């Protein structure tokens, strides 16, 4: 069975019509009908039920459709990657970051591109260290930042810097206080499942206190917007305070303090080109970390 046959079937399902699908595909309707009949004969089961007025998809057809979507998507992604290799001697550097690192990462990449003007980059956001590890192991990305060490035989997890968590608050909310306790503050925190939320839960467990949580969100940006509205206080990593969205807000130290370490992760087994190693080196230089490539 050919990819084009799968694409024909997918288009029929999307258009819910042989006539409209044939027009969209720029082929004749008899040819499209014959293709689907041949597919059904090869498979040994019916994909579509056809009447004079309408078509409907069978239960097996639904399962076939779901598989066809994934196969066609994977096919086109693979073709794109192969053309990338042909078109450029410097394939894209694929790097995963976490939300709070975006500001300094952009500075480092700008420095890196000044030395490698032909280099292209693909930046994604991965917050789950387990997902990040899998992406590195599968060679889907070159580098990834995490807020916990990744312990895996196939991954090098290099500590870059340590940072405090701070309370994000409206200006002058705490007067001249240099630090505050967050025990009784109405807090805006990340949803469960995020590493930052785990750090906060562990923190309150050590204090033997129960946090006063009024809102849970997915991103620091969302939390920041709610702080701007005066709805509560957000606990954010100190580096995120460099974000443009925190303008006209204050960052106050937490008492007792809570810290985390940011790691740069890469695969032990992958043969990296020099441009990737130069980017690792640029990250290390930014944070004054000694690294031997």
């Amino acid at each position: 069975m050919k990819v084009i046959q799968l694409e024909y079937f997918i288009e029929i399902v999307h258009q819910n019509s042989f006539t409209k699908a044939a027009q969209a595909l720029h082929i004749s309707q008899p040819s499209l009908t014959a293709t689907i009949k041949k597919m059904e004969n090869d498979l040994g089961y019916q994909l579509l039920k056809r009447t004079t007025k309408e078509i409907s998809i069978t239960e097996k057809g639904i399962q076939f459709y779901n598989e066809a979507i994934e196969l066609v998507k994977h096919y086109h992604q693979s073709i794109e990657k192969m053309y990338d290799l042909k078109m450029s001697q410097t394939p894209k550097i694929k790097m995963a970051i976490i939300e709070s690192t975006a500001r300094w990462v952009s500075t480092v990449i700008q420095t890196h591109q000044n030395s490698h003007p032909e280099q292209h980059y693909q930046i994604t956001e991965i917050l789950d260290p387990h997902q990040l590890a899998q992406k590195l192991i599968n060679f889907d990305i070159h580098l990834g930042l995490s807020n916990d060490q990744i312990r895996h035989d196939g991954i090098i997890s290099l500590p870059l810097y340590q940072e405090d968590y701070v309370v994000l608050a409206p200006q002058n909310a705490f007067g001249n206080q240099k630090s505050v306790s967050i025990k009784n503050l109405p807090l805006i925190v990340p949803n469960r499942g995020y590493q930052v939320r785990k750090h906060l839960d562990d923190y309150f467990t050590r204090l033997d206190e129960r946090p006063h949580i009024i809102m849970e969100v997915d991103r620091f940006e969302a939390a920041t917007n709610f702080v701007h509205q005066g709805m509560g206080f957000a606990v954010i990593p100190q580096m995120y305070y460099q974000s443009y969205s925190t303008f006209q807000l204050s960052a106050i130290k937490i008492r007792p303090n809570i810290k985390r370490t940011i790691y740069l992760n890469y695969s032990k087994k992958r043969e990296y080109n020099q441009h990737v190693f130069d980017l690792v080196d640029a990250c290390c230089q930014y944070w004054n970390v000694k690294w031997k490539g």
Side-chain angles (χ1 to χ4, degrees):
M1 191 172 296
K2 298 178 180 179
V3 172
I4 194 169
Q5 293 175 299
L6 301 180
E7 292 178 323
Y8 285 179
F9 173 70
I10 291 169
E11 189 63 31
I12 293 169
V13 174
H14 287 177
Q15 298 286 349
N16 197 34
S17 164
F18 275 83
T19 302
K20 292 180 180 178
Q23 291 172 350
L25 294 165
H26 304 291
I27 62 173
S28 68
Q29 184 175 332
S31 176
L32 182 58
T33 301
T35 298
I36 299 304
K37 285 183 177 178
K38 185 178 185 309
M39 288 173 63
E40 291 177 325
N41 289 335
D42 290 344
L43 291 167
Y45 54 80
Q46 192 175 15
L47 296 170
L48 300 167
K49 289 184 179 179
R50 297 170 283 275
T51 67
T52 54
K53 294 184 178 180
E54 60 183 8
I55 63 172
S56 59
I57 188 168
T58 66
E59 287 299 316
K60 287 185 178 180
I62 291 172
Q63 295 178 49
F64 182 87
Y65 168 80
N66 290 332
E67 292 293 334
I69 287 286
E70 291 301 315
L71 284 169
V72 170
K73 178 182 176 183
H74 181 71
Y75 168 78
H76 286 293
Q77 287 176 340
S78 298
I79 291 296
E80 182 182 353
K81 289 177 182 177
M82 286 186 277
Y83 274 108
D84 279 348
L85 292 174
K86 179 181 178 181
M87 297 296 290
S88 174
Q89 294 301 314
T90 54
K92 288 180 286 192
I93 294 179
K94 299 179 181 180
M95 182 176 184
I97 66 172
I98 51 181
E99 186 182 3
S100 62
T101 64
R103 186 78 179 270
W104 71 260
V105 167
S106 64
T107 301
V108 168
I109 287 180
Q110 183 181 38
T111 301
H112 183 268
Q113 193 173 49
N114 288 339
S115 301
H116 307 288
E118 77 284 8
Q119 182 63 61
H120 290 225
Y121 308 85
Q122 185 178 80
I123 308 300
T124 56
E125 190 173 286
I126 299 177
L127 304 179
D128 182 356
H130 300 291
Q131 183 185 1
L132 175 61
Q134 198 61 51
K135 291 281 188 181
L136 288 166
I137 294 166
N138 292 341
F139 311 122
D140 293 327
I141 59 174
H142 295 92
L143 307 170
L145 296 170
S146 63
N147 55 19
D148 264 335
Q149 184 178 10
I150 294 180
R151 303 180 187 279
H152 189 283
D153 290 342
I155 294 174
I156 293 174
S157 200
L158 178 69
L160 285 182
Y161 63 94
Q162 193 174 70
E163 64 179 334
D164 290 330
Y165 284 101
V166 294
V167 175
L168 191 64
Q171 286 184 343
N172 302 317
F174 297 106
N176 296 322
Q177 293 185 65
K178 298 258 178 110
S179 64
V180 295
S181 168
I182 60 173
K183 291 180 183 178
N184 300 311
L185 292 181
L187 296 178
I188 302 166
V189 300
N191 284 311
R192 290 194 181 278
Y194 291 103
Q195 286 299 107
V196 173
R197 177 61 180 274
K198 182 179 182 299
H199 294 166
L200 290 173
D201 287 345
D202 291 345
Y203 176 76
F204 279 101
T205 297
R206 290 194 301 271
L207 294 179
D208 196 24
E209 295 282 348
R210 185 172 181 173
H212 176 33
I213 296 172
I214 62 164
M215 190 177 298
E216 297 170 284
V217 296
D218 276 340
R219 296 178 59 83
F220 296 132
E221 183 181 7
T224 300
N225 289 334
F226 288 119
V227 175
H228 275 295
Q229 296 298 323
M231 298 183 67
F233 302 92
V235 177
I236 63 168
Q238 192 169 25
M239 285 303 301
Y240 185 74
Y241 189 60
Q242 294 181 350
S243 168
Y244 295 112
S245 64
T246 61
F247 181 66
Q248 292 187 334
L249 296 175
S250 297
I252 313 297
K253 290 183 178 180
I254 296 173
R255 186 180 65 248
N257 73 332
I258 172 175
K259 294 179 178 288
R260 72 173 186 176
T261 302
I262 300 300
Y263 294 84
L264 178 62
N265 305 279
Y266 56 96
S267 171
K268 287 182 181 178
K269 298 180 180 179
R270 186 167 188 163
E271 183 180 349
Y272 290 105
N273 65 39
Q274 190 57 49
H275 286 199
V276 176
F277 280 132
D278 288 347
L279 182 54
V280 174
D281 191 53
C283 291
C284 291
Q285 286 188 34
Y286 186 90
W287 291 107
N288 294 317
V289 172
K290 292 183 180 179
W291 174 74
K292 295 181 180 179

